[in-house]
Structures are given as structure tokens and as C-alpha cells.
């Protein structure tokens, strides 16, 4: 390995970038790649990584036939956890993390779209900035699939619709919801046909209005949460 280790951010859709995560990484070097449809993507060895971030996307986490790059992502996630590399999975990324750790995916069993609460169940150095144990911070949801809790993982947050909203497995944390958005990124999502095409009438307007209410408090809390992840990655650069 030459030069400092970097954080690798894997994306799956152009509008689902790292958002506030990239801002929080600050001086930590990172690169963004999309390997979704590559049968044999050339991904770095975990020894070269300061951290691994896997973002959201509209595809099913187990659809390796339609999107062969997902298999390589899952293998890298497993290897990163085994090597104690800091890992952050968001929405699809959390599902890929759970699958990499042996948990099951359930398709179309937990539709949640829009702002709603999650109950914080356990303390965590990353999730804790979003809310203390026993609180129910309001966050943005945008999913219809869910995962079981991986064996040995700690359940960090839950909602009435989706039991596994956040979990910790060693060096990795998975977040089923989307704290990475600020107001500009939410506007982008609400202007993207792939995001709003399946929404009910008036649902996009309701999400926009809820964002105006909740993002002013959520954005700095999410920044602190991602800052805690960045500190972990910084220690490995």
C-alpha cells in the first residue's frame, strides 16, 4: 500500500450520494465508486481502507443476478467487518451489510416512506448523536424491504413498521433510514422520477413540508453522528 488509507464510498444511484457523510469526512481522504453492474469489479483490499460506506439504492439487496456487483460489495463488507474496519451502511447498504453477515432479507414487507420516528434502544458511538436511549428521533425513511438482525449484532433502533432500523455488528453500523440528507438533497430526491414515481398523490408535498420542520434539527445531529464515524476512519488513515 502506498499513501494514506482512504474511505471507500459505494453508491448505487446518481442521486443517492454520500450527502452529509461526505461533508463529515472533512480531511479524511475518500473516493466514491459505483460497481453495481460490474460482474468482477476491482475493489481495494481491506488493508487499503480507512473505512467503508455503502449507500442506498432502489434495487433489492439480494438481486445479484440483475446487479452482479452487489456480490462483490457483500464480500467486501464481510471482509471489512472481519478486519475491524469502520463500516457504515445506509438503507440498501444496511441490507447488504446484514446479508453479508448471514441475515435474511424480506422483500416488500415494511414500506416506510417519509419522516417518522425510530426508537433508540441501545447506546452507540455513531447512532448516539441522533438520539439517546429511550428517545424517538424523527428521521427520513424510504424503503419497502427489511432485514433480520444478524447473529451476534446489537439492535440499536426500531420502528413500529420495521424492527431492524439500526444495528451494530463489531466495527459496522447499519442504518435502514436516511440521515445523510440535507434540504438540497431532499429537493433533489423529490425532483427525481425514480424516487417519486411510486408515491401516492400528495405524498411528495407532505414529505417536503415535513422536511422543512425536521431537517433543521436533524442535519446537525446527523453531522455529529457521521463525524463520530469519520473519527474512527481517521484513526486508520
Amino acid at each position: 500500500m502506498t499513501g494514506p488509507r482512504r474511505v471507500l464510498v459505494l453508491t448505487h444511484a446518481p442521486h443517492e450520494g454520500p450527502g452529509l457523510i461526505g461533508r463529515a469526512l472533512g480531511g479524511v481522504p475518500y473516493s466514491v465508486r459505483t460497481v453495481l453492474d460490474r460482474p468482477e469489479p476491482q475493489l481495494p483490499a481491506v488493508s487499503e481502507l480507512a473505512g467503508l460506506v455503502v449507500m442506498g439504492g432502489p434495487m433489492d439487496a439480494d438481486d445479484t443476478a440483475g446487479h452482479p456487483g452487489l456480490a462483490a460489495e457483500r464480500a467486501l463488507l464481510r471482509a471489512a467487518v472481519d478486519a475491524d474496519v469502520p463500516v457504515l451502511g445506509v438503507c440498501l447498504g444496511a441490507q447488504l451489510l446484514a446479508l453479508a453477515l448471514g441475515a435474511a432479507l424480506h422483500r416488500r414487507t415494511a414500506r416506510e416512506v417519509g419522516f417518522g420516528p425510530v426508537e433508540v434502544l441501545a447506546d452507540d458511538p455513531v447512532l448516539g448523536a441522533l438520539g439517546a436511549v429511550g428517545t424517538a428521533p424523527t428521521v427520513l425513511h424510504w424503503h419497502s424491504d427489511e432485514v433480520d438482525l444478524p447473529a451476534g449484532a446489537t439492535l440499536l433502533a426500531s420502528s413500529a413498521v420495521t424492527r431492524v432500523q439500526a444495528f451494530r455488528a463489531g466495527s459496522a453500523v447499519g442504518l435502514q433510514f436516511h440521515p445523510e440528507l440535507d434540504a438540497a438533497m431532499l429537493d433533489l430526491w423529490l425532483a427525481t422520477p425514480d424516487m417519486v414515481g411510486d408515491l401516492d398523490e400528495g405524498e411528495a408535498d407532505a414529505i417536503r413540508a415535513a422536511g422543512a420542520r425536521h431537517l433543521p434539527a436533524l442535519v446537525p445531529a446527523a453531522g455529529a453522528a457521521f463525524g463520530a464515524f469519520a473519527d474512527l476512519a481517521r484513526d486508520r488513515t
Side-chain angles (χ1 to χ4, degrees):
M1 185 185 73
T2 59
R5 294 187 178 99
R6 304 174 66 87
V7 173
L8 175 63
V9 181
L10 294 174
T11 61
H12 309 93
H15 52 276
E16 295 204 46
L20 295 175
I21 301 169
R23 190 183 306 173
L25 285 171
V28 179
Y30 74 94
S31 57
V32 180
R33 291 187 60 190
T34 302
V35 300
L36 178 68
D37 295 325
R38 298 183 185 181
E40 297 183 8
Q42 298 299 309
L43 292 172
V46 292
S47 61
E48 301 174 15
L49 297 180
L52 176 62
V53 177
V54 184
M55 299 306 303
M59 56 288 305
D60 294 314
D62 60 354
D63 185 12
T64 53
H67 303 286
L70 294 177
E73 291 189 37
R74 284 163 55 176
L76 185 61
L77 282 162
R78 174 77 251 188
V81 174
D82 288 344
D84 205 33
V85 173
V87 173
L88 175 63
V90 178
C91 200
L92 173 65
Q95 296 169 6
L96 289 166
L97 173 62
L99 288 173
L101 298 176
L105 175 78
H106 305 281
R107 296 187 181 186
R108 319 296 181 263
T109 58
R111 185 184 187 274
E112 286 182 284
V113 178
F115 287 86
V118 293
E119 182 183 1
V120 179
L121 302 174
D123 193 21
D124 184 79
V126 173
L127 182 70
L130 291 172
V133 176
T135 64
T138 296
V139 297
L140 178 63
H141 305 271
W142 213 298
H143 70 99
S144 59
D145 296 350
E146 62 181 326
V147 291
D148 293 337
L149 185 68
T154 299
L155 182 62
L156 299 179
S158 187
S159 72
V161 175
T162 306
R163 175 175 177 261
V164 182
Q165 282 284 357
F167 65 90
R168 164 70 65 179
S171 63
V173 62
L175 307 176
Q176 181 58 69
F177 49 92
H178 286 278
E180 77 275 16
L181 276 78
D182 59 10
M185 193 169 175
L186 179 61
D187 286 343
L188 172 63
W189 281 25
L190 293 175
T192 300
D194 286 348
M195 295 298 293
V196 300
D198 293 333
L199 298 185
D200 296 333
E201 184 177 356
E203 202 168 8
D205 290 338
I207 293 170
R208 184 176 289 106
R213 293 195 305 272
H214 296 296
L215 285 175
L218 182 58
V219 166
F226 298 140
F229 173 81
D231 288 342
L232 297 171
R234 189 174 290 109
D235 289 342
R236 285 183 55 86
T237 57

